């Protein structure tokens, strides 16, 4: 059975990994003023977005994920002919309509694929499984990496689906923003009351940075630091502790909203690299998606891993 993977553009994994495993990216259109960027994890398009230095204007951006019809077309024109089973992994349904769009599209796809395959001389059924990673950005990575591993090992679809649901339920995502004013402006644009004006003013005045967690679709602050560098040190120290305690998927996924050379210089990151190397954990480093940057601001760090339930201490 030929099995494949599809993810949405907000999944922060390196382009080389996506290409190695032939992972299809469902694009997201991002409109800032009169400019449109097609977010499909193309490094050149990400660099174009950064080079434009849109800065504070990005908080007003409009994002348009793949519509139900576009997803139907992607599958019926391509994926049902290339694969016998496709696992579609999406950003958490609590923060985006993408999961709902893919689910709705699946009904039409599964109803129509037989004729498409028949005309191409391809017998046999086609399956698709939609998985909500229940997380964001870099933290969409662990489930995707595990799916790629299991597909390479030719595991049966039922076993893959069950395992991915378990990984998604036990993935911890973290985000460290640089600019709370930006975060508040974006939240206001999306009618999200999670970041208030008072907290933004207080954080900027005292240079307090929150460490935000996403787990099982729920997001909220779990720590705070005096300055971005201290926050990075705290976040990477926590990641090192989890690496040494053991992970459900031997991968630590990190993304940065800008030049990855800056990520490498942040306090604690060299130690995280060393800990991953010592324990055989794959460390993935990727530029944050354009979608991610317009939602949380340039210069933010996101990080994700899958682990057994544990107490979070910052």
């Amino acid at each position: 059975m030929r099995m494949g993977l599809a993810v949405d553009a907000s999944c922060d994994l390196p382009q080389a990994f996506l290409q190695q495993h032939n992972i299809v990216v469902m694009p997201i259109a991002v409109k800032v003023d009169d400019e449109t960027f097609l977010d499909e994890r193309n490094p050149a398009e990400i660099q174009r977005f950064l080079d434009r230095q849109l800065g504070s204007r990005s908080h007003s951006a409009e994002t348009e994920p793949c519509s139900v019809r576009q997803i139907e077309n992607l599958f019926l024109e391509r994926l049902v002919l290339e694969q016998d089973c496709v696992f579609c992994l999406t950003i958490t349904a609590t923060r985006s309509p993408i999961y709902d769009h893919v689910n709705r599209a699946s009904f039409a796809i599964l109803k129509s694929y037989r004729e498409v395959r028949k005309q191409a001389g391809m017998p046999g059924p086609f399956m698709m499984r939609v998985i909500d990673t229940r997380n964001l950005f870099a933290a969409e990575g662990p489930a995707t990496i595990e799916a790629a591993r299991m597909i390479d090992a030719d595991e049966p679809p039922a076993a893959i689906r069950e395992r991915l649901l378990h990984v998604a339920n036990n993935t911890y995502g973290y985000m460290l923003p640089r600019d709370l004013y930006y975060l508040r402006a974006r939240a206001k644009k999306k009618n999200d009351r999670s970041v208030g004006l008072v907290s933004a003013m207080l954080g900027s005045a005292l240079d307090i940075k929150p460490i935000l967690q996403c787990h099982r679709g729920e997001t909220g602050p779990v720590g705070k630091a005096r300055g971005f560098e201290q926050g990075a040190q705290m976040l990477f120290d926590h990641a090192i502790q989890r690496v040494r305690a053991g992970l459900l998927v031997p991968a630590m996924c990190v993304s940065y909203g800008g030049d990855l050379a800056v990520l490498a210089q942040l306090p604690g990151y060299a130690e995280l690299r060393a800990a991953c190397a010592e324990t055989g954990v794959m460390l993935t480093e990727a530029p944050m998606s354009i979608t991610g940057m317009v939602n949380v601001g340039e210069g933010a760090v996101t990080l994700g891993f899958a682990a057994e339930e544990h107490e979070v201490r910052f």
Side-chain angles (χ1 to χ4, degrees), residues 7-142:
V7 298
D8 62 76
S10 67
C11 178
D12 289 340
L13 282 173
Q15 184 72 4
F17 182 89
L18 298 175
Q19 292 176 342
Q20 177 188 351
H21 296 281
N22 197 29
I23 298 174
V24 174
V25 177
M26 296 179 288
I28 300 171
V30 179
K31 296 181 180 179
V32 185
D33 294 339
D34 59 349
E35 290 194 69
T36 299
F37 300 86
L38 185 61
D39 189 3
E40 52 185 352
R41 300 217 55 81
N42 183 316
E45 188 73 343
I46 293 174
Q47 191 59 51
R48 184 171 80 88
F49 176 82
L50 292 169
D51 290 344
R52 291 290 290 112
Q53 297 182 335
L54 297 173
S56 60
R57 285 192 293 147
S58 296
H59 68 74
S60 62
E62 299 286 347
T63 57
E64 297 180 5
C66 272
S67 67
V68 174
R69 179 56 61 86
Q70 288 172 324
I71 295 166
E72 288 177 20
N73 292 341
L74 171 64
F75 273 78
L76 294 175
E77 295 173 6
R78 176 183 172 187
L79 294 181
V80 302
L81 300 174
E82 294 179 354
Q83 308 290 352
D84 301 313
C85 177
V86 173
F87 287 89
C88 238
L89 283 73
T90 76
I91 189 172
T92 177
T94 60
R95 288 283 171 174
S96 168
I98 295 176
Y99 176 77
D100 178 61
H101 286 189
V102 178
N103 253 334
R104 287 164 57 193
S106 69
F107 295 108
I109 294 165
L110 295 175
K111 182 179 178 180
S112 305
Y113 81 83
R114 293 185 186 276
E115 185 61 27
V116 175
R117 283 168 69 96
K118 181 181 178 181
Q119 291 180 6
M122 298 176 59
F126 172 81
M127 296 186 293
M128 65 180 293
R129 298 291 183 265
V130 188
I131 306 292
D132 180 355
T133 66
R134 307 189 75 181
N135 230 296
L136 304 155
F137 312 142
E140 295 174 63

